Amino acid sequence: MTDVLIVDDNPIVRGALRGYLASADDMNVVGEAPDGRTAVTVAQRLRPDVTLLDHRMPVADGLTVVAQLAEHTSVLVLTSDAAEDLIAGMLRRGARGYLVHGEFEPPELLRAVRAVAAGQGWLSPRGASVTISVLRDQAAREREEASQADQLRQLRQGFGLTSRERDVMELLTVGHSNAAIARRLLLTEKTVKNHLHHIFTKLHATNRTEAVLRWSGGQGQ
Amino acid sequence: MPPRQRGRECVAELLDGHPSGTPTTVLIVHPDPRDRAAIRAELVASGRLRVVGVTGDRDEAVALAGRLRPTVSLLDDRVRAPGTDLVEALARWSLVIVLTDATERDAVVTLLQAPVQGCLVYGHIEPPDLVRAVNAVASGLGWLSPSAAAAVTWAMRASTPRPAHPGRGSSHLDLP
């Protein structure tokens, strides 16, 4: 038996869902809630296997409570709102599935509830398409960031600084004065100046700003 | 009824292959001749889909896709193209749905990095799924079998804040 909680502010929708789920032998509607806050209280108490969650509701909407609900139950979002941000937000906060009203036939609702109860997921066509593209964009961004970080690492290695000079350079980059660098590295200011002199030569820089710029991958003249 | 609502009812109709203008054409790329025939039969039985090409060979698949420009290509991921990316090649001419045995979350998420619009996982494909997946993808949406949906929703949960470098946190953002 799969225990289901129905969360929707529209009593007609709740009634229709209850009636439909009741027609399946393996579904047991254990409760209903008209808003997000009530849903959290009920889910905490009843720990239903699956919660059908609408988004737009008074008091607290679905997105606000989905993470809390997900601690007690598997959340299957069932809403007419199919905005990309909402789909991504619900899934990031713990929803196991996303169904958009009008994109599925009744039998699919049962499959979705069963899938989510069994630890699988369920995404209606729009949910699937949004999720695929969000994940793909994210992976592309991460590859880009990784390759930039890699390039910067190589560039820095190319300058041939000693490890001490790197220490000085890193403190310089975050805006420390010579005196502050000296204190941090337990050096005299004169030694710091010496290191800076060598750093400027290796980085082909004539002043601190230019050195920082080059160390960060800039092309400053 | 607001227009958006009506639009969505159209989606439900589209998934079942109700009239939608030009017929959707499909290329089937699968290593097993009997499975190829079964997939073809199922798509054809829907009445709204035209199977324009069937092959188990990767080179022929790319050639057929280029020549026939099918709306959707169904690609079994056992058909591989060493050195070249078959999915990329097919995706140049059509929308790609991949058929796979992969159930491991990482494997599915990796698979979806390729330009595919859908992923049907063997063992989780119920009779209407094939046709509905093709219709969903042909209408610009996506399709994921329950185990693939589990994999991507897991990846979404893991992606707060950054998924690809779990051990690394966001330290690389601290680079000066």
Side-chain angles (χ1 to χ4, degrees):
Chain A
M1 254 322 186
T2 301
D3 289 349
V4 183
L5 167 65
I6 299 169
V7 185
D8 198 301
D9 59 334
N10 185 337
I12 296 171
V13 173
R14 290 202 305 271
L17 289 171
R18 178 184 275 274
Y20 185 68
L21 291 172
S23 72
D25 296 338
D26 59 337
M27 297 289 159
N28 183 24
V29 177
V30 294
E32 291 181 15
D35 64 75
R37 195 182 294 165
T38 312
V40 173
T41 314
V42 176
Q44 236 159 2
R45 186 158 46 85
L46 301 177
R47 313 231 161 206
D49 300 305
V50 177
T51 295
L52 296 177
L53 179 67
D54 186 22
H55 171 53
R56 281 182 208 192
M57 291 178 291
V59 189
D61 66 20
L63 188 63
T64 306
V65 297
V66 62
Q68 267 177 289
L69 283 174
E71 289 172 22
H72 310 291
T73 176
S74 294
V75 178
L76 174 58
V77 179
L78 178 54
T79 177
S80 48
D81 206 326
E84 181 173 322
D85 287 352
L86 182 64
I87 295 173
M90 287 286 197
L91 296 177
R92 288 208 162 103
R93 294 174 191 202
R96 304 289 166 141
Y98 201 108
L99 277 170
V100 182
H101 283 299
E103 273 192 27
F104 61 92
E105 305 288 345
E108 208 169 302
L109 173 63
L110 292 179
R111 261 185 92 189
V113 172
R114 288 179 189 128
V116 167
Q120 303 284 8
W122 192 276
L123 295 170
S124 63
R126 202 171 301 275
S129 127
V130 164
T131 313
I132 290 173
S133 75
V134 165
L135 285 177
R136 200 176 292 152
D137 290 352
Q138 189 173 293
R141 227 170 20 244
E142 276 162 8
R143 275 196 301 277
E144 174 67 15
E145 280 173 14
S147 106
Q148 279 176 5
D150 213 51
Q151 279 174 18
L152 190 56
R153 212 168 297 124
Q154 282 180 15
L155 174 87
R156 288 178 176 182
Q157 269 166 15
F159 290 129
L161 302 194
T162 65
S163 74
R164 202 40 147 179
E165 287 164 359
R166 284 183 73 104
D167 294 342
V168 172
M169 193 59 222
E170 255 141 45
L171 291 173
L172 187 71
T173 306
V174 292
H176 286 299
S177 68
N178 287 4
I181 295 173
R183 265 200 311 280
R184 286 283 197 108
L185 300 178
L186 306 174
L187 302 171
T188 63
E189 272 195 64
K190 185 164 168 21
T191 313
V192 170
K193 274 186 190 155
N194 262 329
H195 282 312
L196 282 178
H197 178 72
H198 290 132
I199 289 171
F200 288 179
T201 309
K202 289 178 179 175
L203 266 57
H204 304 290
T206 53
N207 57 50
R208 305 166 79 90
T209 311
E210 217 174 276
V212 169
L213 188 65
R214 284 175 191 271
W215 188 244
S216 312
Q219 298 295 319
Q221 287 301 308
Chain B
M1 183 181 293
R4 275 187 75 198
Q5 202 99 20
R6 229 179 292 134
R8 257 183 250 115
E9 282 186 356
C10 288
V11 172
E13 284 179 9
L14 267 171
L15 297 182
D16 288 328
H18 286 257
S20 64
T22 53
T24 299
T25 55
V26 184
L27 170 67
I28 301 168
V29 186
H30 195 293
D32 185 292
R34 278 175 46 198
D35 286 352
R36 284 204 295 270
I39 292 170
R40 172 188 211 143
E42 198 170 317
L43 295 180
V44 169
S46 77
R48 292 292 309 168
L49 301 174
R50 271 181 44 212
V51 177
V52 291
V54 179
T55 179
D57 179 80
R58 58 192 166 85
D59 294 328
E60 197 185 0
V62 175
L64 284 173
R67 185 152 51 82
L68 305 168
R69 315 267 171 114
T71 321
V72 175
S73 293
L74 278 172
L75 170 66
D76 181 289
D77 71 346
R78 283 167 294 181
V79 181
R80 291 191 186 279
T84 62
D85 193 323
L86 185 54
V87 177
E88 303 255 357
L90 293 177
R92 246 181 284 151
W93 311 111
S94 73
L95 301 162
V96 180
I97 298 174
V98 70
L99 296 155
T100 183
D101 270 324
T103 48
E104 285 283 310
R105 295 190 295 198
D106 285 321
V108 173
V109 171
T110 304
L111 209 145
L112 291 171
Q113 296 304 319
V116 302
Q117 267 68 42
C119 179
L120 287 161
V121 181
Y122 292 116
H124 296 265
I125 307 175
E126 290 191 12
D129 290 0
L130 210 51
V131 170
R132 286 170 75 80
V134 169
N135 285 322
V137 168
S139 61
L141 300 173
W143 189 273
L144 294 169
S145 287
S147 64
V152 300
T153 54
W154 164 77
M156 291 293 281
R157 284 196 297 283
S159 76
T160 11
R162 324 205 126 246
H165 318 286
R168 237 169 94 191
S170 58
S171 65
H172 61 297
L173 290 182
D174 300 334
L175 282 171

